Amino acid sequence: MPALPRDLPALAGACRAAVGRGAAGPALSVADQALVSACNFATTIVLAHALGLEAFGLFSTAWIAVLLTVSLQLGLVVCPMISIGPGLGDEARPAYYAIVLVHEAAFLALAGSAVAIGLALAFGDRALALAAGAACAAHLAQDFTRRYLFARGRPPVVLGIDALNQGVKLAGLILLGRMEMLTPAVALEVVAASAVLSCLGAIPFRGRLAWRAGAFRAATRRQFHSGRWLVLTGLMQWLSGYAGLLVAGALLGVTLIGVLRAAQSILGVLNLIRDALENIVPPIAGRALAARGLDGLRPVIGVTAAIGFAGGLSFTALLALTGQSLLATAFGPDMAAYAWVVAWYSLLFPVSLVSFAQICAFRALERTGAVFAATAAAAALNLALVYPAVRWFGIEGLLAVAITAEMLVCLVLAALLRRALRAPSTPLGRLQPA
């Protein structure tokens, strides 16, 4: 087995190559993600200040429902499209993308209606429910549009429409907040309007489309075959990540959801690290597996896991020292008392980066069923323990369950990966997906 340090220069070289080669796409992708992460963080700050903790908690509760539809869209529509579309020939690609747009339109109608009806039944607030349904459909359309343009090789356009979306949204929220006209429903309407404007700006860059009715069934079947495990994985991830928040909100009040969302927004900025690794590690893993079989894959995953854990732990230590002042500065003095929540929540980050390294291995091996198995195990643990933990221990119980579930994902993946990597090293062509 090759020594781990030999692959460390490969990872660093890939980072330089992504930016330094004539291709601007990777650099623009990182810049776009940095823009989106920073603006989402700023949006959370504006909403928390303008709405107050209770109203911000209500907004966050509605947004959790929207995030569920985002997870489903990723598995059903987006991830298969990103994998399948770029690999098609020039003649087949326009028809395929036209069919995917039909899938997306149907999903938008169903998701927006489901969120509106669900929130109307849950809160009895028709204005909030309608605004949330509109925001859901518009946000899904904008998220799909940016990923569609990435798939069609137009990262500069993605950067432009994301800047338009985030700029209009932030400007509208700040203006309405200063005029003291901001409510959860109005905030959702601003989110919907900025997303729609962004989608309209992308229309001239959609690329060539061609409708072929005879290809619809085959394309739909291929989409489902490619995305079935990803849909289930996304659903399990949502359950693990947000079911606890909803239970805590029901038992302890929606104000707590606002506190936890504020903590998540601070940690969300750190996701830029994972997004950067997402652009670098999977190609390296695939090439290493193709060139040297499992002996090539092992060191890449080991180095990535070690870097992720060490870097994540460093950020956790930094947040433990600065969390109180950061919360007070960003969200006001009322939030400073919850600095310990940020510190404990940040423990999820180094563990999730180790899990990410293992997921990259399963993606290279084309055995994503293992990823679903680990995520499902964590979701089951979360659902079984979160209610008694919150009822007996409050927010401390919620954090303990979240950290335990994330560690379970990592341990299950490690056990499954250890078994997969024990197999005799073989060329890529002989590795069959499970």
Side-chain angles (χ1 to χ4, degrees):
M1 173 176 166
L4 293 183
R6 291 179 56 186
D7 283 86
L8 194 55
L11 288 169
C15 294
R16 291 193 300 269
V19 178
R21 274 183 290 186
L28 288 173
S29 300
V30 173
D32 176 75
Q33 188 57 48
L35 170 72
V36 171
S37 297
C39 289
N40 284 338
F41 181 57
T43 298
T44 306
I45 294 174
V46 170
L47 289 172
H49 278 284
L51 295 176
L53 280 181
E54 184 174 355
F56 178 62
L58 183 59
F59 173 90
S60 299
T61 303
W63 197 249
I64 287 173
V66 175
L67 293 176
L68 171 60
T69 65
V70 172
S71 295
L72 296 177
Q73 177 175 269
L74 281 173
L76 281 171
V77 182
V78 171
C79 289
M81 175 189 69
I82 292 175
S83 299
I84 296 171
L88 297 175
D90 292 339
E91 294 185 0
R93 201 176 298 134
Y96 170 76
Y97 283 124
I99 292 168
V100 171
L101 288 175
V102 173
H103 294 161
E104 174 66 10
F107 184 81
L108 291 181
L110 290 172
S113 300
V115 167
I117 293 171
L119 290 178
L121 294 175
F123 295 105
D125 188 334
R126 185 176 179 182
L128 177 70
L130 290 175
C136 175
H139 179 73
L140 287 173
Q142 202 275 338
D143 186 68
F144 169 82
T145 299
R146 64 192 297 272
R147 296 174 189 274
Y148 169 87
L149 292 171
F150 269 129
R152 303 210 73 167
R154 294 169 173 82
V157 181
V158 178
L159 184 59
I161 66 168
D162 279 344
L164 176 64
N165 176 43
Q166 299 293 344
V168 171
K169 178 176 66 176
L170 270 175
L173 293 175
I174 292 172
L175 178 62
L176 291 171
R178 289 183 175 179
M179 296 171 63
E180 298 185 353
M181 297 174 59
L182 204 59
T183 65
V186 171
L188 288 166
E189 290 169 358
V190 172
V191 170
S194 62
V196 169
L197 187 61
S198 173
C199 293
L200 292 175
I203 290 176
F205 307 97
R206 67 187 182 278
R208 190 164 68 91
L209 299 170
W211 179 252
R212 294 178 188 170
F216 185 84
R217 171 178 271 185
T220 303
R221 185 165 54 244
R222 186 172 181 183
Q223 285 279 113
F224 175 76
H225 179 77
S226 178
R228 54 185 177 174
W229 286 118
L230 297 174
V231 172
L232 295 173
T233 299
L235 180 59
M236 294 299 104
Q237 288 173 336
W238 184 89
L239 286 172
S240 294
Y242 295 105
L245 292 184
L246 296 176
V247 171
L251 292 177
L252 305 176
V254 294
T255 299
L256 178 62
I257 294 182
V259 171
L260 294 172
R261 285 294 295 160
Q264 287 179 340
S265 70
I266 291 176
L267 299 177
V269 177
L270 302 180
N271 285 334
L272 182 61
I273 298 173
R274 176 165 177 154
D275 292 328
L277 291 175
E278 178 72 43
N279 293 329
I280 297 168
V281 177
I284 293 177
R287 286 194 294 268
L289 182 63
R292 292 180 285 158
L294 297 179
D295 284 340
L297 182 63
R298 292 187 188 101
V300 174
I301 301 308
V303 168
T304 303
I307 292 175
F309 185 76
L313 210 57
S314 299
F315 277 108
T316 295
L318 181 63
L319 286 172
L321 295 174
T322 63
Q324 186 169 2
S325 59
L326 183 60
L327 271 178
T329 302
F331 298 104
D334 291 343
M335 283 282 192
Y338 297 96
W340 63 273
V341 176
V342 177
W344 280 98
Y345 233 129
S346 66
L347 289 174
L348 296 171
F349 190 64
V351 180
S352 69
L353 287 179
V354 176
S355 299
F356 165 77
Q358 297 174 111
I359 289 170
C360 287
F362 284 113
R363 285 166 58 179
L365 294 166
E366 299 181 44
R367 296 176 182 176
T368 53
V371 181
F372 168 72
T375 308
L381 176 73
N382 197 301
L383 292 175
L385 297 182
V386 70
Y387 181 83
V390 173
R391 189 173 184 85
W392 294 336
F393 303 105
I395 190 171
E396 293 91 341
L398 175 64
L399 293 174
V401 171
I403 294 170
T404 302
E406 190 65 43
M407 291 180 65
L408 180 62
V409 171
C410 188
L411 292 173
V412 172
L413 286 173
L416 295 174
L417 184 59
R418 183 181 180 186
R419 186 172 64 181
L421 295 181
R422 276 180 179 175
S425 185
T426 57
L428 178 61
R430 295 178 59 188
L431 290 171
Q432 298 298 323

